[in-house]
Amino acid sequence: MEEEQGTMTCRGRLREEFRLKSFCLNHGDRHDFTRSPWFNHLLPFVVYRTAVCAYQVSVYAIYHSLRGINLKSYIYLTELGFVILTLHTIVSAILCFADFFGNRPKSPEDIPMITEDDFVTTTTYCAIKRTKQ
């Protein structure tokens, strides 16, 4: 009886995981694809994605400029894999640029907040500095 319940639970989990709805493009947080959990700021991740993209595109361009473009080479899985990888790096770099340059709404922690206390402190500091001169 317990094994049957465990199987039902496993079957239920598999059914939930592999529903048709799970294969759609409706991920809850789009920043999972354009930001890294290891970097505090966006710029290093954008630079990383850009460097990887430039490397992939340059290797692909140099390879095909030396060997020429042969349509038969796209039959091989290694060539198709490299094309898909290059397209992935291009799309990921574009998404990171779009997120970095503000084409998408930013989260509140990315926007620097200036409070009234900061303004008063700065104004007081400038006034004190002027009176000392």
Side-chain angles (χ1 to χ4, degrees), residues 2-66:
E2 289 179 24
E3 284 184 5
E4 198 172 309
Q5 263 185 338
T7 306
M8 292 295 285
T9 306
C10 182
R11 185 180 299 149
R13 280 190 230 146
L14 286 174
R15 184 176 289 153
E16 180 70 24
E17 184 69 30
F18 293 106
R19 288 186 308 165
L20 186 60
K21 182 181 169 186
S22 298
F23 292 98
C24 296
L25 298 174
N26 58 355
H27 187 69
D29 187 15
R30 63 180 170 216
H31 295 299
D32 287 344
F33 302 104
T34 59
R35 298 179 183 190
S36 172
W38 297 285
F39 294 121
N40 291 334
H41 300 288
L42 289 176
L43 186 61
F45 192 62
V46 171
V47 170
Y48 161 73
R49 289 282 188 165
T50 305
V52 170
C53 179
Y55 175 76
Q56 286 289 123
V57 170
S58 64
V59 166
Y60 187 75
I62 290 170
Y63 176 77
H64 282 291
S65 67
L66 294 176

Side-chain angles (χ1 to χ4, degrees), residues 33-34 49 53 85-97:
F33 302 104
T34 59
R49 289 282 188 165
C53 179
L85 181 64
T86 304
L87 290 175
H88 166 72
T89 58
I90 291 170
V91 169
S92 66
I94 289 171
L95 289 176
C96 286
F97 268 106

Side-chain angles (χ1 to χ4, degrees), residues 65-122:
S65 67
L66 294 176
R67 296 203 55 200
I69 296 176
N70 185 3
L71 294 179
K72 274 185 156 182
S73 66
Y74 291 107
I75 295 172
Y76 302 111
L77 189 58
T78 54
E79 182 73 22
L80 287 175
F82 197 77
V83 167
I84 291 170
L85 181 64
T86 304
L87 290 175
H88 166 72
T89 58
I90 291 170
V91 169
S92 66
I94 289 171
L95 289 176
C96 286
F97 268 106
D99 188 31
F100 183 72
F101 289 111
N103 290 341
R104 301 161 95 186
K106 293 190 174 207
S107 63
E109 64 258 6
D110 289 340
I111 301 170
M113 300 300 287
I114 299 175
T115 62
E116 190 175 314
D117 294 334
D118 293 335
F119 182 72
V120 171
T121 305
T122 305

